[in-house]
Amino acid sequence: MSELSKMTIADARDALRAGDVSAVELTEACLTEIEAADALGAFVHKTADLARARAAAADARIKAGDAPAMCGIPLGIKDLFCTEGVPSQAASRILDGFRPEYESTVTQKLRDAGAVMLGKLNMDEFAMGSSNETSIYGDAVNPWKVDDRKLTPGGSSGGSAAAVAADLCLAAIGTDTGGSIRQPAAFTGIAGLKPTYGRCSRWGIVAFASSLDQAGPMTKSVRDAAIMLQAMAGHDAKDSTSADIPVPDFEAMLTGDIRGKVIGIPREYRMDGMPAEIEKLWHEGAEMLRAAGAEVVDISLPHTKYALPAYYVIAPAEASSNLARYDGVRYGHRAKLAQGDGIVQMYEKTRAEGFGPEVQRRVMVGTYVLSAGFYDAYYNRARKVRTLIKKDFEDVFADGIDAILTPATPSAAFGLGEMSEADPVQMYLNDVFTVTVNLAGLPGISVPVGLNGKGLPLGLQLIGRPWAEDDLLNTAYALEAAAGFVSKPAKWW
């Protein structure tokens, strides 16, 4: 049974349709693996009974000949997505006990397609983190291990990445505000796609930074990412930022033929102190694409150096506004009050108890940059920088560039506690290669390409034109085939 949970979505879909396996068998295999993997801290709310019921319903649909590609596929759901009747806490104490009476649009689309929800996955609190160490549930742990050190699976979608890499589920969904799908994917040796802003609805996703957040698939292969995005994407009238444009058949576009495509290598991403193994992997990735028939050229994205500071002004500013709604009045955690305390004390105590240190830090930074006297100096200036970053990408795409190749992360996975105990800015630097994509609203994908000297996975990032996920996925498919990455973590949990 344990072999079933190792299947890809594509293989499982074909096996389900052929009658070689049932959705119930697939689901039971995953539930068995989940029960044995508490050491990874990936699943924080298990929904075994619900999963079995949905698997049985999926088998009935398949038997009746009504089987979309995702029908019967067992998935993990990041705790940032609202799921009807199931705890949805964004890994925060402030939302303790919150069980939504509605389903997020993305999870509803997957549910309608017959996918099976196995449970909710760990994450950094309110998606604020790059190591999954700010969660009220405790750390998520990377299934890859070296020297008996426990490593981060990345963040904020760390539980999603760990669950997919450890074969606890066939795939998972995450969200990406500044790299929270792509960085964990790179740290755990899986594929992670952040779609164009507006491709997937944000309705029912607990908001971090509304102009940056985007849902996406985290999968065992690029083909799986294409299949899953097909089910997740589409216009949603409930989300004013959702794009009313057609959703192509992403899987049908996976030919692997990238002859004549032009791949840009941005010189600004060659940063001082970049590890030699990252530089080497980047060069090898470029050579793989060139060998596949693409033209590889140097390009310039001159405002890249301003991206990280601009992001860490804009994102906290939006977070401070979004998180103002959590006050303990209608739902979630409410602090116990002393005699004589009024509503102000209730707000103060509830928020002080409900939000963790990193969330408090970002809310305070965000409130500061939006305050009178600092709004123009910080927030407005960051917005102007964002416009310049977006124009950099528009210019290179207008010059004929089809995709851009960069490292996904500045290093392999680091040890739990190594960064969180240092200056928080060191942690923020993990997003150096990914935040530009969110600021510009572009699609980006992390593809596992190799191992470092200690045997840990490393990924490369491909950035595509807006709304051209089909082209981006095909380029990633060619890179994946050339790299031939098949390594899996040795089971220790």
Side-chain angles (χ1 to χ4, degrees), residues 5 7 59 67 69 102 164 224 262 276 287 351 355 446 456 459 477 489:
S5 71
M7 297 179 82
D59 279 332
Y102 55 89
V164 176
D224 283 5
V262 183
E287 289 305 310
R351 290 166 67 80
F355 292 137
S446 175
L456 296 176
Y477 185 64

Side-chain angles (χ1 to χ4, degrees), residues 200-439:
C200 296
S201 172
R202 293 185 301 108
W203 194 85
I205 299 173
V206 177
F208 165 13
S210 301
S211 74
L212 301 166
D213 300 341
Q214 186 62 194
M218 303 181 73
T219 58
K220 299 175 186 179
S221 71
V222 172
R223 180 176 293 278
D224 283 5
I227 295 168
M228 198 163 165
L229 181 61
Q230 181 84 35
M232 295 170 64
H235 177 60
D236 178 15
K238 296 194 291 287
D239 175 8
S240 62
T241 63
S242 172
D244 189 5
I245 59 173
V247 178
D249 186 341
F250 296 115
E251 187 185 11
M253 308 291 185
L254 299 181
T255 64
D257 185 358
I258 59 169
R259 289 173 295 180
K261 298 292 183 183
V262 183
I263 309 297
I265 307 292
R267 61 179 65 100
E268 289 79 10
Y269 282 59
R270 290 190 173 91
M271 300 188 172
D272 293 340
M274 180 187 287
E277 59 191 11
I278 299 290
E279 182 83 41
K280 180 173 179 285
L281 186 82
W282 191 11
H283 175 74
E284 289 172 352
E287 289 305 310
M288 290 174 195
L289 293 174
R290 184 179 281 116
E295 180 185 356
V296 180
V297 300
D298 286 336
I299 60 170
S300 177
L301 298 167
H303 295 94
T304 295
K305 63 182 177 182
Y306 305 115
L308 208 59
Y311 173 84
Y312 278 102
V313 170
I314 292 169
E318 295 186 14
S320 73
S321 177
N322 279 325
L323 270 59
R325 72 192 70 178
Y326 304 113
D327 53 18
V329 174
R330 294 174 60 195
Y331 51 81
H333 174 73
R334 181 187 293 187
K336 292 182 179 178
L337 303 182
Q339 189 171 1
D341 281 349
I343 192 167
V344 172
Q345 288 77 24
M346 190 271 284
Y347 287 156
E348 289 175 348
K349 289 182 178 180
T350 294
R351 290 166 67 80
E353 292 176 8
F355 292 137
E358 181 60 30
V359 173
Q360 291 184 27
R361 179 186 292 122
R362 297 200 197 191
V363 167
M364 291 175 72
V365 167
T367 304
Y368 176 78
V369 301
L370 290 175
S371 60
F374 300 102
Y375 186 92
D376 285 331
Y378 292 104
Y379 184 65
N380 256 349
R381 185 172 293 182
R383 288 174 62 209
K384 291 173 182 176
V385 168
R386 180 181 189 170
T387 301
L388 293 172
I389 289 167
K390 190 168 185 281
K391 189 174 186 305
D392 285 347
F393 284 105
E394 289 171 351
D395 289 345
V396 297
F397 289 135
D399 286 342
I401 298 297
D402 293 295
I404 298 166
L405 181 71
T406 79
T409 58
S411 69
F414 49 87
L416 287 166
E418 286 181 13
M419 291 264 194
S420 57
E421 295 168 4
D423 180 352
V425 173
Q426 291 299 114
M427 185 74 82
Y428 298 165
L429 290 172
N430 263 279
D431 302 329
V432 67
F433 297 128
T434 52
V435 295
T436 52
V437 176
N438 299 81
L439 289 168

Side-chain angles (χ1 to χ4, degrees), residues 438-454:
N438 299 81
L439 289 168
L442 299 172
I445 186 170
S446 175
V447 181
V449 174
L451 300 172
N452 74 351
K454 293 186 175 181

